Amino acid sequence: MLEKILEKYELVIGLEVHAQLKTETKLMSPASNIFGAEPNSAVSTVCTGMPGALPVINLQAVDMAIRSALAFHCEIKPTSVFSRKHYFYPDLPKGYQISQYDRPYAEGGRVEFYLDDKPREINLTRIHMEEDAGKNLHFDDRGISLVDLNRSSVPLIEIVSEPEMRSPEEAAAYLKALRRVLRYLDVCDGNMEEGSLRCDANVSLRVRGAPKFGTRVELKNINSFRNLERAIVYEATRQYQALEDGESIVQETRLWNADENKSLSMRSKEEAADYRYMPEPDLFPLVLSSDRLDRIKKNQPELPIQKMQRFITHYERSAYDAEVLTSSKALSEYFESVVEFTKEAQLSSNFIQTNVLALIQDPEAGFENFYPDPSALSDLLNRVKSGALSLGMAKEVFEVMHQEKRGAASIIEERGLAQVSDEASLLAIVEKVMKDNPSQLAEFRSGKDKLFGFFMGQSQKELKGKGNPQTLKKILEEKLKA
Ligand code: ADP
Ligand code: MG
C-alpha cells in the first residue's frame, strides 16, 4: 500500500520527542525524581501546586539539557525564558505547565545517523526544557480515576525536528540515533515502554512536486520503534484514502492504539493561543554563562557517530560492524576492553557479534552482570589466537562459561578440549609417525607430494584430532623434506 501511495504523494514526517532527564531531583521541585515509587510519595508542595509554593530551577537538569543540545549541534541561547502553558486537566494541579515557548534554550542542530549504510542528517527546529505533568490512573472496574503526582515536575527536554523525514524507516532510524546519543550522554534511559522517551509523530501527504506541505495530523501514544513505523503507515493510508475520495484532512491529534493497530481522533489540534502562554513570573530568565558552557563542552563524552568512525579507522571495522559495536555504550566498552587484552580486533569483533550478542537481549543494560566479562572472554580468545583452541571449541567452551559462570581453563581441562600446540610434543608425534611408516616416507621423499596428507592424518590420529593444524603442518613440512 505504501508503495502505491508514494507513487503519487510524498510522505512528510516531523517528530516531537520528549526525553525525561535522569536527574536526582525534579525540574522545579526538590522532590526525588524516581520511577515506580508508591503513588504521590515523591512529591513536594511544588509538584502538588500548593498556593504560594515557588519553583526553583534544577541546575543539574539544565546541565543535562545543555549537554544534549551540544551533542545535537544546536545553538545554545545565552538567555532563555520559561513560560506558563495553561490547560485544564486533573493531572496538572497548578492549571499550567512550566515550559519554554518563544525563547527556548537551544535552536537549530541536527541528528546524524546511517540509513541503509548511507549517512543521513535531519535538522532540528529547537530543543526546550519543560516540566512533566502527573498521571491519571483509571480503575475501570471500580469506576474511579485517581491522580498520581510523582511525575509532576519531572524534567523533560522536547526535541522538535523539522518535517524532513520521508519514510517510516527513516523516522525510526532518526529516533534510534537520537536515543543512542541521549544514552551515551547518560541523561535519559530512553525506555519507551516506561515513557522516559516519548514520541509524537506529525504526518502529512503532499502531491509530488506541490509547493506546500499538506495538513498534518499529530499521532500520540507511540511507545516503541515498531509502533512508530506502524502508526505512520496507518496514518499515511488513512490520509491517502481521504484525499483520493476528495475529502480534506482535518488538523487533529490522534491517539495510536497499538493493540488494535489503528489510531482514533482525540481532539482537534489546539492553537498556541489556546494555551494563553505568558512568561513565568516566578522564575528569572535563564542566563547561561560562557564558563558553564565551556565546562560542559570540555566534559562531553565521545558520541556514537564519532565512536563509530573511530572503530572504522582504528580497529579496521566495516561500517556495519562499527555500527553494531557502538549501538550501545556498554557494548562498545565491552568490545574495547576485550581488544585491549587480545590485541585482535577482528577475532574479538566477530566472536562478540556472533556469540555474545546472541545471548544478550538488551545491549544497553545487558553487560552489567554478563559473564564472561571482558577479561574472561579475552582469556578464551587468546587461546584461539595462540592456537591452543580451535574456534569451534572456543564456542563450546564459551557456552559453558556463560552457563556456569566460570573461567575457560577448568572447562577446557575437564572436557579435554585443549589443542596440542607446543612444538616439542608435536615433533615427538611426527617423528613417531615417520618411524612407523618408512615406505610412505620413502615414496614422499621420491616426489609423491600427495602423501603429505597421509602424514598429517596419521599425526592427527595419534593426537586424537587435537593437534594445532598450523603448527603441525609447519613441523611436517620441515621434517618430511629432510
Ligand atoms: P505543536 O506543538 O503545535 O505540535 P511544534 O512546533 O512543537 O508544534 O511541532 C510541530 C512538528 O510538526 C514539528 O516536528 C514539525 O516538523 C512537524 N510538522 C510541521 N508541519 C508538518 C507537516 N506539514 N507535515 C508533517 N509534519 C509537520
Ligand atoms: Mg505537538
Side-chain angles (χ1 to χ4, degrees), residues 93-115:
K94 295 199 296 289
Y96 59 86
Q97 176 191 23
I98 303 180
S99 180
Q100 293 189 311
Y101 174 52
D102 51 354
R103 297 188 64 186
Y105 81 100
E107 287 182 4
R110 60 185 185 273
V111 175
E112 300 161 322
F113 55 95
Y114 279 76
L115 186 63

mmCIF file with all atom_site columns, all heavy atoms in Angstrom, residues 93-115:
data_model
loop_
_atom_site.group_PDB
_atom_site.id
_atom_site.type_symbol
_atom_site.label_atom_id
_atom_site.label_alt_id
_atom_site.label_comp_id
_atom_site.label_asym_id
_atom_site.label_entity_id
_atom_site.label_seq_id
_atom_site.pdbx_PDB_ins_code
_atom_site.Cartn_x
_atom_site.Cartn_y
_atom_site.Cartn_z
_atom_site.occupancy
_atom_site.B_iso_or_equiv
_atom_site.pdbx_formal_charge
_atom_site.auth_seq_id
_atom_site.auth_comp_id
_atom_site.auth_asym_id
_atom_site.auth_atom_id
_atom_site.pdbx_PDB_model_num
ATOM 1   N N   . PRO A 1 93  ? -2.254 20.140 38.667 1.00 0.00 ? 93  PRO A N   1
ATOM 2   C CA  . PRO A 1 93  ? -2.957 20.908 39.699 1.00 0.00 ? 93  PRO A CA  1
ATOM 3   C C   . PRO A 1 93  ? -2.753 22.423 39.611 1.00 0.00 ? 93  PRO A C   1
ATOM 4   O O   . PRO A 1 93  ? -3.653 23.185 39.982 1.00 0.00 ? 93  PRO A O   1
ATOM 5   C CB  . PRO A 1 93  ? -2.411 20.354 41.021 1.00 0.00 ? 93  PRO A CB  1
ATOM 6   C CG  . PRO A 1 93  ? -1.257 19.487 40.676 1.00 0.00 ? 93  PRO A CG  1
ATOM 7   C CD  . PRO A 1 93  ? -1.358 19.118 39.231 1.00 0.00 ? 93  PRO A CD  1
ATOM 8   N N   . LYS A 1 94  ? -1.609 22.889 39.124 1.00 0.00 ? 94  LYS A N   1
ATOM 9   C CA  . LYS A 1 94  ? -1.410 24.343 39.025 1.00 0.00 ? 94  LYS A CA  1
ATOM 10  C C   . LYS A 1 94  ? -2.301 24.972 37.956 1.00 0.00 ? 94  LYS A C   1
ATOM 11  O O   . LYS A 1 94  ? -2.535 26.161 37.980 1.00 0.00 ? 94  LYS A O   1
ATOM 12  C CB  . LYS A 1 94  ? 0.047  24.666 38.617 1.00 0.00 ? 94  LYS A CB  1
ATOM 13  C CG  . LYS A 1 94  ? 1.111  24.270 39.615 1.00 0.00 ? 94  LYS A CG  1
ATOM 14  C CD  . LYS A 1 94  ? 2.431  25.026 39.350 1.00 0.00 ? 94  LYS A CD  1
ATOM 15  C CE  . LYS A 1 94  ? 3.089  24.722 38.026 1.00 0.00 ? 94  LYS A CE  1
ATOM 16  N NZ  . LYS A 1 94  ? 3.684  23.364 37.935 1.00 0.00 ? 94  LYS A NZ  1
ATOM 17  N N   . GLY A 1 95  ? -2.728 24.163 36.982 1.00 0.00 ? 95  GLY A N   1
ATOM 18  C CA  . GLY A 1 95  ? -3.501 24.719 35.861 1.00 0.00 ? 95  GLY A CA  1
ATOM 19  C C   . GLY A 1 95  ? -2.593 25.210 34.734 1.00 0.00 ? 95  GLY A C   1
ATOM 20  O O   . GLY A 1 95  ? -3.063 25.741 33.737 1.00 0.00 ? 95  GLY A O   1
ATOM 21  N N   . TYR A 1 96  ? -1.300 25.052 34.913 1.00 0.00 ? 96  TYR A N   1
ATOM 22  C CA  . TYR A 1 96  ? -0.371 25.385 33.831 1.00 0.00 ? 96  TYR A CA  1
ATOM 23  C C   . TYR A 1 96  ? 0.890  24.545 33.992 1.00 0.00 ? 96  TYR A C   1
ATOM 24  O O   . TYR A 1 96  ? 1.199  24.075 35.089 1.00 0.00 ? 96  TYR A O   1
ATOM 25  C CB  . TYR A 1 96  ? -0.018 26.883 33.824 1.00 0.00 ? 96  TYR A CB  1
ATOM 26  C CG  . TYR A 1 96  ? 0.606  27.372 35.107 1.00 0.00 ? 96  TYR A CG  1
ATOM 27  C CD1 . TYR A 1 96  ? 1.983  27.269 35.331 1.00 0.00 ? 96  TYR A CD1 1
ATOM 28  C CD2 . TYR A 1 96  ? -0.177 27.933 36.118 1.00 0.00 ? 96  TYR A CD2 1
ATOM 29  C CE1 . TYR A 1 96  ? 2.556  27.695 36.515 1.00 0.00 ? 96  TYR A CE1 1
ATOM 30  C CE2 . TYR A 1 96  ? 0.384  28.370 37.308 1.00 0.00 ? 96  TYR A CE2 1
ATOM 31  C CZ  . TYR A 1 96  ? 1.750  28.245 37.499 1.00 0.00 ? 96  TYR A CZ  1
ATOM 32  O OH  . TYR A 1 96  ? 2.321  28.651 38.676 1.00 0.00 ? 96  TYR A OH  1
ATOM 33  N N   . GLN A 1 97  ? 1.563  24.393 32.870 1.00 0.00 ? 97  GLN A N   1
ATOM 34  C CA  . GLN A 1 97  ? 2.827  23.655 32.848 1.00 0.00 ? 97  GLN A CA  1
ATOM 35  C C   . GLN A 1 97  ? 3.920  24.683 32.618 1.00 0.00 ? 97  GLN A C   1
ATOM 36  O O   . GLN A 1 97  ? 3.753  25.591 31.790 1.00 0.00 ? 97  GLN A O   1
ATOM 37  C CB  . GLN A 1 97  ? 2.761  22.669 31.673 1.00 0.00 ? 97  GLN A CB  1
ATOM 38  C CG  . GLN A 1 97  ? 4.007  21.869 31.420 1.00 0.00 ? 97  GLN A CG  1
ATOM 39  C CD  . GLN A 1 97  ? 3.920  21.114 30.073 1.00 0.00 ? 97  GLN A CD  1
ATOM 40  O OE1 . GLN A 1 97  ? 3.155  21.500 29.177 1.00 0.00 ? 97  GLN A OE1 1
ATOM 41  N NE2 . GLN A 1 97  ? 4.698  20.071 29.928 1.00 0.00 ? 97  GLN A NE2 1
ATOM 42  N N   . ILE A 1 98  ? 5.034  24.569 33.339 1.00 0.00 ? 98  ILE A N   1
ATOM 43  C CA  . ILE A 1 98  ? 6.148  25.479 33.068 1.00 0.00 ? 98  ILE A CA  1
ATOM 44  C C   . ILE A 1 98  ? 6.973  24.893 31.942 1.00 0.00 ? 98  ILE A C   1
ATOM 45  O O   . ILE A 1 98  ? 7.455  23.759 32.016 1.00 0.00 ? 98  ILE A O   1
ATOM 46  C CB  . ILE A 1 98  ? 7.014  25.732 34.319 1.00 0.00 ? 98  ILE A CB  1
ATOM 47  C CG1 . ILE A 1 98  ? 6.156  26.289 35.454 1.00 0.00 ? 98  ILE A CG1 1
ATOM 48  C CG2 . ILE A 1 98  ? 8.153  26.712 33.985 1.00 0.00 ? 98  ILE A CG2 1
ATOM 49  C CD1 . ILE A 1 98  ? 6.921  26.568 36.744 1.00 0.00 ? 98  ILE A CD1 1
ATOM 50  N N   . SER A 1 99  ? 7.080  25.678 30.858 1.00 0.00 ? 99  SER A N   1
ATOM 51  C CA  . SER A 1 99  ? 7.735  25.207 29.649 1.00 0.00 ? 99  SER A CA  1
ATOM 52  C C   . SER A 1 99  ? 8.509  26.377 29.057 1.00 0.00 ? 99  SER A C   1
ATOM 53  O O   . SER A 1 99  ? 8.500  27.465 29.613 1.00 0.00 ? 99  SER A O   1
ATOM 54  C CB  . SER A 1 99  ? 6.646  24.721 28.681 1.00 0.00 ? 99  SER A CB  1
ATOM 55  O OG  . SER A 1 99  ? 7.214  24.250 27.478 1.00 0.00 ? 99  SER A OG  1
ATOM 56  N N   . GLN A 1 100 ? 9.189  26.147 27.957 1.00 0.00 ? 100 GLN A N   1
ATOM 57  C CA  . GLN A 1 100 ? 9.792  27.275 27.245 1.00 0.00 ? 100 GLN A CA  1
ATOM 58  C C   . GLN A 1 100 ? 9.023  27.432 25.957 1.00 0.00 ? 100 GLN A C   1
ATOM 59  O O   . GLN A 1 100 ? 8.677  26.451 25.303 1.00 0.00 ? 100 GLN A O   1
ATOM 60  C CB  . GLN A 1 100 ? 11.282 27.014 26.985 1.00 0.00 ? 100 GLN A CB  1
ATOM 61  C CG  . GLN A 1 100 ? 12.070 26.978 28.291 1.00 0.00 ? 100 GLN A CG  1
ATOM 62  C CD  . GLN A 1 100 ? 13.572 26.940 28.047 1.00 0.00 ? 100 GLN A CD  1
ATOM 63  O OE1 . GLN A 1 100 ? 14.052 26.133 27.246 1.00 0.00 ? 100 GLN A OE1 1
ATOM 64  N NE2 . GLN A 1 100 ? 14.321 27.793 28.741 1.00 0.00 ? 100 GLN A NE2 1
ATOM 65  N N   . TYR A 1 101 ? 8.728  28.649 25.586 1.00 0.00 ? 101 TYR A N   1
ATOM 66  C CA  . TYR A 1 101 ? 7.850  28.866 24.439 1.00 0.00 ? 101 TYR A CA  1
ATOM 67  C C   . TYR A 1 101 ? 8.582  29.624 23.333 1.00 0.00 ? 101 TYR A C   1
ATOM 68  O O   . TYR A 1 101 ? 9.208  29.024 22.472 1.00 0.00 ? 101 TYR A O   1
ATOM 69  C CB  . TYR A 1 101 ? 6.593  29.583 24.926 1.00 0.00 ? 101 TYR A CB  1
ATOM 70  C CG  . TYR A 1 101 ? 5.654  29.998 23.844 1.00 0.00 ? 101 TYR A CG  1
ATOM 71  C CD1 . TYR A 1 101 ? 5.210  29.072 22.893 1.00 0.00 ? 101 TYR A CD1 1
ATOM 72  C CD2 . TYR A 1 101 ? 5.175  31.309 23.767 1.00 0.00 ? 101 TYR A CD2 1
ATOM 73  C CE1 . TYR A 1 101 ? 4.337  29.457 21.889 1.00 0.00 ? 101 TYR A CE1 1
ATOM 74  C CE2 . TYR A 1 101 ? 4.307  31.699 22.767 1.00 0.00 ? 101 TYR A CE2 1
ATOM 75  C CZ  . TYR A 1 101 ? 3.896  30.766 21.821 1.00 0.00 ? 101 TYR A CZ  1
ATOM 76  O OH  . TYR A 1 101 ? 3.048  31.148 20.832 1.00 0.00 ? 101 TYR A OH  1
ATOM 77  N N   . ASP A 1 102 ? 8.552  30.971 23.420 1.00 0.00 ? 102 ASP A N   1
ATOM 78  C CA  . ASP A 1 102 ? 9.137  31.732 22.313 1.00 0.00 ? 102 ASP A CA  1
ATOM 79  C C   . ASP A 1 102 ? 10.640 31.939 22.455 1.00 0.00 ? 102 ASP A C   1
ATOM 80  O O   . ASP A 1 102 ? 11.289 32.374 21.517 1.00 0.00 ? 102 ASP A O   1
ATOM 81  C CB  . ASP A 1 102 ? 8.413  33.071 22.122 1.00 0.00 ? 102 ASP A CB  1
ATOM 82  C CG  . ASP A 1 102 ? 8.290  33.848 23.420 1.00 0.00 ? 102 ASP A CG  1
ATOM 83  O OD1 . ASP A 1 102 ? 8.664  33.295 24.484 1.00 0.00 ? 102 ASP A OD1 1
ATOM 84  O OD2 . ASP A 1 102 ? 7.821  34.991 23.394 1.00 0.00 ? 102 ASP A OD2 1
ATOM 85  N N   . ARG A 1 103 ? 11.169 31.602 23.636 1.00 0.00 ? 103 ARG A N   1
ATOM 86  C CA  . ARG A 1 103 ? 12.623 31.741 23.788 1.00 0.00 ? 103 ARG A CA  1
ATOM 87  C C   . ARG A 1 103 ? 13.234 30.473 24.377 1.00 0.00 ? 103 ARG A C   1
ATOM 88  O O   . ARG A 1 103 ? 13.628 30.431 25.550 1.00 0.00 ? 103 ARG A O   1
ATOM 89  C CB  . ARG A 1 103 ? 12.954 32.972 24.639 1.00 0.00 ? 103 ARG A CB  1
ATOM 90  C CG  . ARG A 1 103 ? 12.473 34.264 23.955 1.00 0.00 ? 103 ARG A CG  1
ATOM 91  C CD  . ARG A 1 103 ? 12.941 35.493 24.653 1.00 0.00 ? 103 ARG A CD  1
ATOM 92  N NE  . ARG A 1 103 ? 14.396 35.639 24.627 1.00 0.00 ? 103 ARG A NE  1
ATOM 93  C CZ  . ARG A 1 103 ? 15.055 36.601 25.286 1.00 0.00 ? 103 ARG A CZ  1
ATOM 94  N NH1 . ARG A 1 103 ? 14.387 37.477 26.021 1.00 0.00 ? 103 ARG A NH1 1
ATOM 95  N NH2 . ARG A 1 103 ? 16.372 36.671 25.215 1.00 0.00 ? 103 ARG A NH2 1
ATOM 96  N N   . PRO A 1 104 ? 13.310 29.401 23.575 1.00 0.00 ? 104 PRO A N   1
ATOM 97  C CA  . PRO A 1 104 ? 13.890 28.137 24.067 1.00 0.00 ? 104 PRO A CA  1
ATOM 98  C C   . PRO A 1 104 ? 15.391 28.276 24.272 1.00 0.00 ? 104 PRO A C   1
ATOM 99  O O   . PRO A 1 104 ? 15.997 29.208 23.748 1.00 0.00 ? 104 PRO A O   1
ATOM 100 C CB  . PRO A 1 104 ? 13.583 27.163 22.937 1.00 0.00 ? 104 PRO A CB  1
ATOM 101 C CG  . PRO A 1 104 ? 13.541 28.004 21.705 1.00 0.00 ? 104 PRO A CG  1
ATOM 102 C CD  . PRO A 1 104 ? 12.972 29.338 22.148 1.00 0.00 ? 104 PRO A CD  1
ATOM 103 N N   . TYR A 1 105 ? 15.977 27.359 25.021 1.00 0.00 ? 105 TYR A N   1
ATOM 104 C CA  . TYR A 1 105 ? 17.419 27.478 25.301 1.00 0.00 ? 105 TYR A CA  1
ATOM 105 C C   . TYR A 1 105 ? 18.272 26.997 24.131 1.00 0.00 ? 105 TYR A C   1
ATOM 106 O O   . TYR A 1 105 ? 19.479 27.275 24.100 1.00 0.00 ? 105 TYR A O   1
ATOM 107 C CB  . TYR A 1 105 ? 17.782 26.719 26.588 1.00 0.00 ? 105 TYR A CB  1
ATOM 108 C CG  . TYR A 1 105 ? 17.957 25.232 26.389 1.00 0.00 ? 105 TYR A CG  1
ATOM 109 C CD1 . TYR A 1 105 ? 19.228 24.672 26.278 1.00 0.00 ? 105 TYR A CD1 1
ATOM 110 C CD2 . TYR A 1 105 ? 16.864 24.386 26.293 1.00 0.00 ? 105 TYR A CD2 1
ATOM 111 C CE1 . TYR A 1 105 ? 19.401 23.308 26.063 1.00 0.00 ? 105 TYR A CE1 1
ATOM 112 C CE2 . TYR A 1 105 ? 17.024 23.022 26.078 1.00 0.00 ? 105 TYR A CE2 1
ATOM 113 C CZ  . TYR A 1 105 ? 18.298 22.497 25.963 1.00 0.00 ? 105 TYR A CZ  1
ATOM 114 O OH  . TYR A 1 105 ? 18.469 21.156 25.741 1.00 0.00 ? 105 TYR A OH  1
ATOM 115 N N   . ALA A 1 106 ? 17.687 26.243 23.185 1.00 0.00 ? 106 ALA A N   1
ATOM 116 C CA  . ALA A 1 106 ? 18.506 25.718 22.079 1.00 0.00 ? 106 ALA A CA  1
ATOM 117 C C   . ALA A 1 106 ? 17.728 25.767 20.770 1.00 0.00 ? 106 ALA A C   1
ATOM 118 O O   . ALA A 1 106 ? 16.548 25.424 20.730 1.00 0.00 ? 106 ALA A O   1
ATOM 119 C CB  . ALA A 1 106 ? 18.928 24.280 22.374 1.00 0.00 ? 106 ALA A CB  1
ATOM 120 N N   . GLU A 1 107 ? 18.403 26.204 19.715 1.00 0.00 ? 107 GLU A N   1
ATOM 121 C CA  . GLU A 1 107 ? 17.767 26.254 18.397 1.00 0.00 ? 107 GLU A CA  1
ATOM 122 C C   . GLU A 1 107 ? 18.656 25.579 17.367 1.00 0.00 ? 107 GLU A C   1
ATOM 123 O O   . GLU A 1 107 ? 19.871 25.501 17.530 1.00 0.00 ? 107 GLU A O   1
ATOM 124 C CB  . GLU A 1 107 ? 17.506 27.714 17.986 1.00 0.00 ? 107 GLU A CB  1
ATOM 125 C CG  . GLU A 1 107 ? 16.369 28.322 18.784 1.00 0.00 ? 107 GLU A CG  1
ATOM 126 C CD  . GLU A 1 107 ? 16.046 29.755 18.387 1.00 0.00 ? 107 GLU A CD  1
ATOM 127 O OE1 . GLU A 1 107 ? 16.663 30.274 17.428 1.00 0.00 ? 107 GLU A OE1 1
ATOM 128 O OE2 . GLU A 1 107 ? 15.193 30.349 19.063 1.00 0.00 ? 107 GLU A OE2 1
ATOM 129 N N   . GLY A 1 108 ? 18.019 25.151 16.290 1.00 0.00 ? 108 GLY A N   1
ATOM 130 C CA  . GLY A 1 108 ? 18.761 24.515 15.190 1.00 0.00 ? 108 GLY A CA  1
ATOM 131 C C   . GLY A 1 108 ? 19.331 23.180 15.635 1.00 0.00 ? 108 GLY A C   1
ATOM 132 O O   . GLY A 1 108 ? 18.831 22.552 16.562 1.00 0.00 ? 108 GLY A O   1
ATOM 133 N N   . GLY A 1 109 ? 20.400 22.772 14.981 1.00 0.00 ? 109 GLY A N   1
ATOM 134 C CA  . GLY A 1 109 ? 21.017 21.487 15.311 1.00 0.00 ? 109 GLY A CA  1
ATOM 135 C C   . GLY A 1 109 ? 20.548 20.399 14.359 1.00 0.00 ? 109 GLY A C   1
ATOM 136 O O   . GLY A 1 109 ? 19.766 20.644 13.440 1.00 0.00 ? 109 GLY A O   1
ATOM 137 N N   . ARG A 1 110 ? 21.079 19.196 14.602 1.00 0.00 ? 110 ARG A N   1
ATOM 138 C CA  . ARG A 1 110 ? 20.741 18.087 13.703 1.00 0.00 ? 110 ARG A CA  1
ATOM 139 C C   . ARG A 1 110 ? 21.001 16.742 14.371 1.00 0.00 ? 110 ARG A C   1
ATOM 140 O O   . ARG A 1 110 ? 21.794 16.658 15.312 1.00 0.00 ? 110 ARG A O   1
ATOM 141 C CB  . ARG A 1 110 ? 21.558 18.180 12.412 1.00 0.00 ? 110 ARG A CB  1
ATOM 142 C CG  . ARG A 1 110 ? 23.048 18.128 12.650 1.00 0.00 ? 110 ARG A CG  1
ATOM 143 C CD  . ARG A 1 110 ? 23.868 18.343 11.383 1.00 0.00 ? 110 ARG A CD  1
ATOM 144 N NE  . ARG A 1 110 ? 25.284 18.165 11.670 1.00 0.00 ? 110 ARG A NE  1
ATOM 145 C CZ  . ARG A 1 110 ? 26.097 19.114 12.113 1.00 0.00 ? 110 ARG A CZ  1
ATOM 146 N NH1 . ARG A 1 110 ? 25.632 20.340 12.309 1.00 0.00 ? 110 ARG A NH1 1
ATOM 147 N NH2 . ARG A 1 110 ? 27.363 18.858 12.369 1.00 0.00 ? 110 ARG A NH2 1
ATOM 148 N N   . VAL A 1 111 ? 20.336 15.730 13.859 1.00 0.00 ? 111 VAL A N   1
ATOM 149 C CA  . VAL A 1 111 ? 20.584 14.358 14.300 1.00 0.00 ? 111 VAL A CA  1
ATOM 150 C C   . VAL A 1 111 ? 21.206 13.617 13.123 1.00 0.00 ? 111 VAL A C   1
ATOM 151 O O   . VAL A 1 111 ? 20.678 13.661 12.009 1.00 0.00 ? 111 VAL A O   1
ATOM 152 C CB  . VAL A 1 111 ? 19.278 13.669 14.746 1.00 0.00 ? 111 VAL A CB  1
ATOM 153 C CG1 . VAL A 1 111 ? 19.531 12.201 15.092 1.00 0.00 ? 111 VAL A CG1 1
ATOM 154 C CG2 . VAL A 1 111 ? 18.688 14.395 15.949 1.00 0.00 ? 111 VAL A CG2 1
ATOM 155 N N   . GLU A 1 112 ? 22.340 12.972 13.382 1.00 0.00 ? 112 GLU A N   1
ATOM 156 C CA  . GLU A 1 112 ? 23.056 12.266 12.313 1.00 0.00 ? 112 GLU A CA  1
ATOM 157 C C   . GLU A 1 112 ? 22.916 10.768 12.525 1.00 0.00 ? 112 GLU A C   1
ATOM 158 O O   . GLU A 1 112 ? 23.001 10.293 13.650 1.00 0.00 ? 112 GLU A O   1
ATOM 159 C CB  . GLU A 1 112 ? 24.548 12.624 12.354 1.00 0.00 ? 112 GLU A CB  1
ATOM 160 C CG  . GLU A 1 112 ? 24.803 14.102 12.162 1.00 0.00 ? 112 GLU A CG  1
ATOM 161 C CD  . GLU A 1 112 ? 26.187 14.531 12.643 1.00 0.00 ? 112 GLU A CD  1
ATOM 162 O OE1 . GLU A 1 112 ? 26.651 14.011 13.679 1.00 0.00 ? 112 GLU A OE1 1
ATOM 163 O OE2 . GLU A 1 112 ? 26.789 15.386 11.978 1.00 0.00 ? 112 GLU A OE2 1
ATOM 164 N N   . PHE A 1 113 ? 22.714 10.048 11.436 1.00 0.00 ? 113 PHE A N   1
ATOM 165 C CA  . PHE A 1 113 ? 22.615 8.587  11.557 1.00 0.00 ? 113 PHE A CA  1
ATOM 166 C C   . PHE A 1 113 ? 22.898 7.949  10.218 1.00 0.00 ? 113 PHE A C   1
ATOM 167 O O   . PHE A 1 113 ? 23.149 8.641  9.228  1.00 0.00 ? 113 PHE A O   1
ATOM 168 C CB  . PHE A 1 113 ? 21.226 8.179  12.072 1.00 0.00 ? 113 PHE A CB  1
ATOM 169 C CG  . PHE A 1 113 ? 20.069 8.703  11.278 1.00 0.00 ? 113 PHE A CG  1
ATOM 170 C CD1 . PHE A 1 113 ? 19.479 7.943  10.289 1.00 0.00 ? 113 PHE A CD1 1
ATOM 171 C CD2 . PHE A 1 113 ? 19.556 9.979  11.517 1.00 0.00 ? 113 PHE A CD2 1
ATOM 172 C CE1 . PHE A 1 113 ? 18.404 8.419  9.555  1.00 0.00 ? 113 PHE A CE1 1
ATOM 173 C CE2 . PHE A 1 113 ? 18.490 10.482 10.783 1.00 0.00 ? 113 PHE A CE2 1
ATOM 174 C CZ  . PHE A 1 113 ? 17.911 9.697  9.800  1.00 0.00 ? 113 PHE A CZ  1
ATOM 175 N N   . TYR A 1 114 ? 22.901 6.620  10.205 1.00 0.00 ? 114 TYR A N   1
ATOM 176 C CA  . TYR A 1 114 ? 23.080 5.881  8.952  1.00 0.00 ? 114 TYR A CA  1
ATOM 177 C C   . TYR A 1 114 ? 21.779 5.163  8.626  1.00 0.00 ? 114 TYR A C   1
ATOM 178 O O   . TYR A 1 114 ? 21.162 4.561  9.491  1.00 0.00 ? 114 TYR A O   1
ATOM 179 C CB  . TYR A 1 114 ? 24.220 4.860  9.092  1.00 0.00 ? 114 TYR A CB  1
ATOM 180 C CG  . TYR A 1 114 ? 25.579 5.487  8.927  1.00 0.00 ? 114 TYR A CG  1
ATOM 181 C CD1 . TYR A 1 114 ? 26.126 6.246  9.953  1.00 0.00 ? 114 TYR A CD1 1
ATOM 182 C CD2 . TYR A 1 114 ? 26.293 5.334  7.736  1.00 0.00 ? 114 TYR A CD2 1
ATOM 183 C CE1 . TYR A 1 114 ? 27.369 6.844  9.794  1.00 0.00 ? 114 TYR A CE1 1
ATOM 184 C CE2 . TYR A 1 114 ? 27.544 5.924  7.581  1.00 0.00 ? 114 TYR A CE2 1
ATOM 185 C CZ  . TYR A 1 114 ? 28.070 6.679  8.611  1.00 0.00 ? 114 TYR A CZ  1
ATOM 186 O OH  . TYR A 1 114 ? 29.292 7.269  8.458  1.00 0.00 ? 114 TYR A OH  1
ATOM 187 N N   . LEU A 1 115 ? 21.362 5.282  7.378  1.00 0.00 ? 115 LEU A N   1
ATOM 188 C CA  . LEU A 1 115 ? 20.188 4.548  6.918  1.00 0.00 ? 115 LEU A CA  1
ATOM 189 C C   . LEU A 1 115 ? 20.644 3.747  5.708  1.00 0.00 ? 115 LEU A C   1
ATOM 190 O O   . LEU A 1 115 ? 21.139 4.328  4.737  1.00 0.00 ? 115 LEU A O   1
ATOM 191 C CB  . LEU A 1 115 ? 19.069 5.522  6.547  1.00 0.00 ? 115 LEU A CB  1
ATOM 192 C CG  . LEU A 1 115 ? 17.731 4.893  6.179  1.00 0.00 ? 115 LEU A CG  1
ATOM 193 C CD1 . LEU A 1 115 ? 17.128 4.126  7.343  1.00 0.00 ? 115 LEU A CD1 1
ATOM 194 C CD2 . LEU A 1 115 ? 16.750 5.961  5.709  1.00 0.00 ? 115 LEU A CD2 1
#
